[in-house]
Amino acid sequence: MINDSLVDGGNVQIAVRDFGGDEPPLLLLHGAGGNLAQMTTLARALRTRHRVVTVDLRGHGRSADGGWSWDAALGDLAAVCVKLEVERPAVVGHSLGGMLAMLWGERHPESPGVISLDGNPPPTRPDQVPALDPEKAAAELERLTGVFDMIGAAAGQKVDAAELADLVERQRVAAREMGADEKVWIEGFRRNLIHGKDGRTTFRPSFESTTRLRAMMNELDLAPVYAAVACPALLVLATRDLPEQAPFADLYAAYRRYLVAQARAVPRLRHVELADASHAMVIEQPAVLASLITEFLVEHR
């Protein structure tokens, strides 16, 4: 039986969805700007073999706002485990959630496994795309930074209630184009909305949270994290671009080669380059991911 609840993490309340079951527990974490609803299809595919618990990370979905740091987010997850009596969970995360999964593995060698689903910050430095000509790399990185600047500036925007119906319809179209479960997609969209008494709706996460998250991810060096993870660890990497990444095709191709080389440098870290998968792999291939995750965890049980 699926159960939604709030967990008091100390300075913030964290929204949790527990899919139930008596199988080995698994925490499933969404990416930046998302929420637990967006992990529903993958959670359903996993719950036949696991007790799946999803959360809204702080500042997302129905969780409270709070200052972002890696320590704070990991503390939130620890509080969820205590409250729900989840012992030694595997931790699986997408994007930002994947970074948190690896950081969890660094601190919890007793974990049965941590799995990152394309949990990589965007490229920001020329040394992350060594296959590119240095001048081209610098120019492309500057151009990409400009795109993220525009996205960040729009974070936390407010819209009038009259505009919502049109926005929801656009989301329905996007779901159909991606071949996603429309109901799940719309729940994910609505879950990041806060309706104000002034008749306006605010999108989460806030501008402040988005800015802080971007800075944290840009500063994160995953190489020493991978090297320090003592529990079983799996990195699932994308192999193609999202439509919005297409204008930066050479940059992202070089970055993917860098990520593969980074993974190969750590013998204990297993990595998989998922065929025909973009950064949206959780939407594109939930059944394939569920099989990969389950097989990996069973192998290391």
Side-chain angles (χ1 to χ4, degrees):
M1 182 176 179
I2 298 175
N3 180 51
D4 281 25
S5 62
L6 289 173
V7 170
D8 188 347
N11 62 338
V12 297
Q13 285 192 317
I14 301 298
V16 177
R17 180 168 293 168
D18 185 351
F19 284 80
D22 298 321
E23 300 300 326
L26 183 153
L27 290 182
L28 185 58
L29 311 177
H30 64 79
N35 57 65
L36 64 80
Q38 296 171 345
M39 308 303 286
T40 298
T41 303
L42 180 55
R44 288 171 177 166
L46 285 165
R47 70 178 175 182
T48 59
R49 300 291 295 274
H50 300 276
R51 176 191 175 188
V52 181
V53 175
T54 57
V55 305
D56 286 332
L57 298 174
R58 56 173 53 205
H60 294 71
R62 298 292 184 258
S63 289
D65 282 310
W68 253 97
S69 70
W70 298 118
D71 285 345
L74 291 168
D76 294 341
L77 299 180
V80 168
C81 290
V82 170
K83 181 67 175 181
L84 273 60
E85 299 181 346
V86 173
E87 297 183 5
R88 296 182 64 249
V91 181
V92 179
H94 172 241
S95 195
L96 170 65
M99 300 173 221
L100 283 168
M102 288 297 165
L103 289 165
W104 179 276
E106 182 183 24
R107 300 188 184 192
H108 294 272
E110 78 283 358
S111 173
V114 292
I115 299 169
S116 169
L117 307 178
D118 213 37
N120 309 291
T124 56
R125 307 188 313 270
D127 64 289
Q128 295 172 319
V129 286
L132 284 188
D133 172 80
E135 286 189 11
K136 180 174 182 178
E140 289 294 270
L141 288 168
E142 182 178 0
R143 193 162 65 96
L144 183 63
T145 297
V147 171
F148 280 109
D149 286 345
M150 288 190 293
I151 294 171
Q157 65 179 305
K158 291 188 176 183
V159 297
D160 292 326
E163 300 177 60
L164 276 181
D166 182 56
L167 290 174
V168 170
E169 183 54 34
R170 292 182 194 177
Q171 293 298 316
R172 293 189 194 282
V173 172
R176 289 193 287 268
E177 289 178 346
M178 288 291 294
D181 183 312
E182 189 174 307
K183 184 178 179 181
V184 168
W185 186 289
I186 296 301
E187 184 194 359
F189 174 72
R190 291 187 180 278
R191 194 172 177 87
N192 269 353
L193 303 180
I194 299 175
H195 303 293
K197 295 180 180 179
D198 60 357
R200 306 198 77 196
T201 296
T202 304
F203 286 81
R204 305 190 81 200
S206 67
F207 174 80
E208 291 77 15
S209 290
T210 300
T211 301
R212 175 63 181 148
L213 279 168
R214 183 181 175 194
M216 286 169 50
M217 288 188 285
N218 287 347
E219 294 167 2
L220 180 64
D221 183 359
L222 283 170
V225 177
Y226 293 156
V229 173
C231 68
L234 172 65
L235 177 59
V236 182
L237 297 171
T239 53
R240 63 174 173 82
D241 293 332
L242 289 165
E244 56 266 34
Q245 293 173 330
F248 300 92
D250 291 344
L251 181 71
Y252 275 103
Y255 187 46
R256 285 194 291 272
R257 289 198 290 274
Y258 167 81
L259 294 174
V260 171
Q262 190 179 48
R264 286 175 175 166
V266 183
R268 290 196 308 272
L269 176 66
R270 183 180 299 184
H271 75 279
V272 173
E273 296 173 70
L274 191 59
D276 195 31
S278 75
H279 189 63
M281 59 178 65
V282 170
I283 298 169
E284 297 164 345
Q285 300 190 40
V288 172
L289 287 176
S291 293
L292 271 176
I293 293 164
T294 298
E295 289 168 9
F296 178 77
L297 293 174
V298 167
E299 179 182 344
H300 292 90
R301 188 174 297 172

